[in-house]
């Protein structure tokens, strides 16, 4: 049976904090890379992340902090990357130590801008990490609810299912239930698309479309997701599993959803820039929309919801006009 060894968290945001809470509760030691030294010092002083999920308290004696990513990568066996996708490249550019033989778990529900690659593809293509050493975390999992210890179901995917099972055991517990999968790319792409669709539901909410239409929108979004996944990475999968449909539903409906909140502001008339400034948090779907649009130029999958969100965010077409055209295409 594969052993995950010593585990480190790479990233200092809400989801990184929630995952750290789960892992350290079961292992009683983690490494933790946080970029800013001042945040680390405050964390050590007060026993909680000073910027995110501040109600979650940690035993500082169980954590080795460092703002040096090389020190963390060198010392730990399993690296859980939980940075916003637009910042992943900058973090990895700092690497001077070998990462190829590490077990890399990505909890990043986004895509690497400019490269138009989901994270496992980026780690494989750029850092030469074998796919057998790459896993991802999927499923409906708002950091705020995990922090509150509300029951959540996570899927760990890896082409080497023994490694997926090993990490699933590390994070399983009283309020975290897990399952494993081999569909890394499918789960990663669905994690990108559900953010795009959450922006769409937010836009429609801002435009005062009701729950009846929202259900039709999400039904069509699931069909669109299936069409794309079957084209980009054909394999047997159950699209109604929690890693796909479950994550889509929670991101589209939950008040914790940054992407839905961002979309709602756009629907109410905010510009993209003003919505981003007011949120003070990253809505991954904004970047994901452009990347997926560019990817689909080569795939030619019928994706009217993606096209509509792209036109609103990047072509500055009126949300009222674009959504009206979208509603006319639904049946």
């Amino acid at each position: 049976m594969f052993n995950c060894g010593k585990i480190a968290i790479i990233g200092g945001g809400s989801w990184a904090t929630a995952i750290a809470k789960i892992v350290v509760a079961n292992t009683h030691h983690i490494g933790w890379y946080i970029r800013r030294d001042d945040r680390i010092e405050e964390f050590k002083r007060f026993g909680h992340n000073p910027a995110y999920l501040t109600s979650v308290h940690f035993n500082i004696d169980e954590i080795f902090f460092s703002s040096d990513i090389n020190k963390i990568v060198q010392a730990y066996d399993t690296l859980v990357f939980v940075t916003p996708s637009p910042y992943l490249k900058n973090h990895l550019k700092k690497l001077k130590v070998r990462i190829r033989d590490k077990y890399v778990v990505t909890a990043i529900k986004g895509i690497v801008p400019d490269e138009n690659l989901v994270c496992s593809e980026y780690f494989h293509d750029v850092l030469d990490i074998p796919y057998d050493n790459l896993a991802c975390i999927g499923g409906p999992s708002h950091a705020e609810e995990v922090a509150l210890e509300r029951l959540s179901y996570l899927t760990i995917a890896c082409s080497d299912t023994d490694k997926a099972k090993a990490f699933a055991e590390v994070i399983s517990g009283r309020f975290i239930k897990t399952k494993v999968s081999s569909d890394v790319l499918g789960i990663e792409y669905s994690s990108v698309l559900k953010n795009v669709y959450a922006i769409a539901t937010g836009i429609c909410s801002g435009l005062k479309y009701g729950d009846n239409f929202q259900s039709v929108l999400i039904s069509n979004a699931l069909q669109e997701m299936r069409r794309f996944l079957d084209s980009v990475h054909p394999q047997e999968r159950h699209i109604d599993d929690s890693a796909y449909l479950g994550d889509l539903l929670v991101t589209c409906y939950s008040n914790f959803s940054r992407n839905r909140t961002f979309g709602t502001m756009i629907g109410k008339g905010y510009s993209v820039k003003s919505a981003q400034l007011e949120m003070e948090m990253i809505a991954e779907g904004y970047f994901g929309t452009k990347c997926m649009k560019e990817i689909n130029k080569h795939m030619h999958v019928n994706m009217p919801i993606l096209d509509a969100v792209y036109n609103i965010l990047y072509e500055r077409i009126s949300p009222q006009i674009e959504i009206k055209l979208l509603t006319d295409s639904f049946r």
Side-chain angles (χ1 to χ4, degrees):
M1 181 69 178
F2 178 76
N3 189 327
C4 291
K6 295 197 299 180
I7 300 172
I9 310 298
I10 312 294
S14 297
W15 189 213
T17 304
I19 292 178
K21 170 188 170 76
I22 299 167
V23 175
V24 79
N26 291 341
T27 65
H28 301 290
H29 176 79
I30 56 170
W32 198 341
Y33 164 73
I34 295 177
R35 180 176 57 88
R36 290 171 49 177
D37 283 314
D38 60 328
R39 290 271 172 86
I40 292 175
E41 290 308 311
E42 286 186 64
F43 206 135
K44 289 178 177 178
R45 187 179 307 123
F46 299 112
H48 64 77
N49 190 326
Y52 301 95
L53 300 183
T54 55
S55 63
V56 179
H57 286 267
F58 291 84
N59 179 354
I60 300 304
D61 293 336
E62 296 181 337
I63 304 172
F64 172 70
F65 290 101
S66 181
S67 61
D68 183 345
I69 193 171
N70 287 287
K71 187 177 292 186
I72 292 291
V73 170
Q74 183 76 47
Y76 288 84
D77 307 298
T78 294
L79 309 172
V80 185
F81 280 81
V82 210
T83 66
S85 59
Y87 304 150
L88 179 62
K89 285 171 66 174
N90 286 336
H91 289 301
L92 293 177
K93 283 178 182 177
K94 300 173 186 176
L95 280 178
K96 296 181 176 63
V97 301
R98 183 179 175 89
I99 193 175
R100 189 179 188 278
D101 298 327
K102 304 292 182 177
Y103 180 30
V104 172
V105 180
T106 171
I108 303 170
K109 296 190 175 185
I111 199 163
V112 182
D114 302 325
E115 306 295 336
N116 295 335
L117 297 170
V118 290
C119 295
S120 66
E121 291 177 315
Y122 187 78
F123 278 112
H124 176 75
D125 292 357
V126 176
L127 296 176
D128 197 32
I129 299 175
Y131 277 118
D132 281 357
N133 281 350
L134 290 166
C136 72
I137 301 176
S141 48
H142 283 310
E144 294 83 355
E145 292 204 353
V146 172
L148 292 168
E149 300 189 359
R150 292 178 178 169
L151 184 61
S152 301
Y153 290 70
L154 301 179
T155 299
I156 312 304
C158 182
S159 58
D160 184 334
T161 53
D162 281 342
K163 291 178 180 175
K165 289 175 183 176
F167 191 76
E169 286 188 9
V170 167
I171 63 172
S172 295
R174 177 173 51 83
F175 59 94
I176 298 293
K177 297 190 181 297
T178 59
K179 62 185 297 185
V180 301
S181 168
S182 61
D183 188 20
V184 179
L185 290 179
I187 289 173
E188 285 190 290
Y189 273 114
S190 70
S191 295
V192 176
L193 285 170
K194 57 94 179 180
N195 287 332
V196 178
Y197 302 141
I199 292 176
T201 60
I203 291 171
C204 292
S205 176
L207 292 172
K208 303 298 184 183
Y209 283 84
D211 291 343
N212 292 340
F213 175 72
Q214 293 280 21
S215 67
V216 174
L217 174 63
I218 294 171
S219 296
N220 278 267
L222 184 66
Q223 296 171 46
E224 187 169 304
M225 180 186 288
R226 178 192 285 117
R227 288 196 296 272
F228 181 82
L229 296 185
D230 287 348
S231 296
V232 74
H233 185 53
Q235 74 166 62
E236 184 178 350
R237 63 173 61 87
H238 299 286
I239 201 73
D240 55 351
D241 276 358
S242 60
Y244 313 97
L245 175 59
D247 205 6
L248 172 65
L249 290 174
V250 77
T251 312
C252 288
Y253 280 128
S254 175
N255 291 329
F256 288 128
S257 173
R258 301 174 194 176
N259 292 282
R260 178 186 167 90
T261 299
F262 175 72
T264 301
M265 295 169 76
I266 299 297
K268 288 181 176 179
Y270 283 73
S271 69
V272 168
K273 193 68 175 176
S274 60
Q276 289 173 324
L277 288 172
E278 185 156 327
M279 283 184 64
E280 297 182 348
M281 298 179 83
I282 289 178
E284 294 264 18
Y286 171 72
F287 303 97
T289 297
K290 184 178 181 182
C291 294
M292 292 304 304
K293 177 72 173 178
E294 292 175 358
I295 291 170
N296 198 41
K297 286 179 182 177
H298 306 287
M299 303 299 298
H300 306 295
V301 178
N302 179 30
M303 304 186 76
I305 303 173
L306 170 67
D307 293 341
V309 175
Y310 178 85
N311 289 339
I312 292 168
L313 298 183
Y314 289 93
E315 300 295 341
R316 298 185 180 180
I317 295 177
S318 162
Q320 289 90 343
I321 293 172
E322 193 63 40
I323 297 300
K324 177 62 169 63
L325 292 171
L326 184 65
T327 65
D328 290 341
S329 73
F330 291 163
R331 292 292 181 268

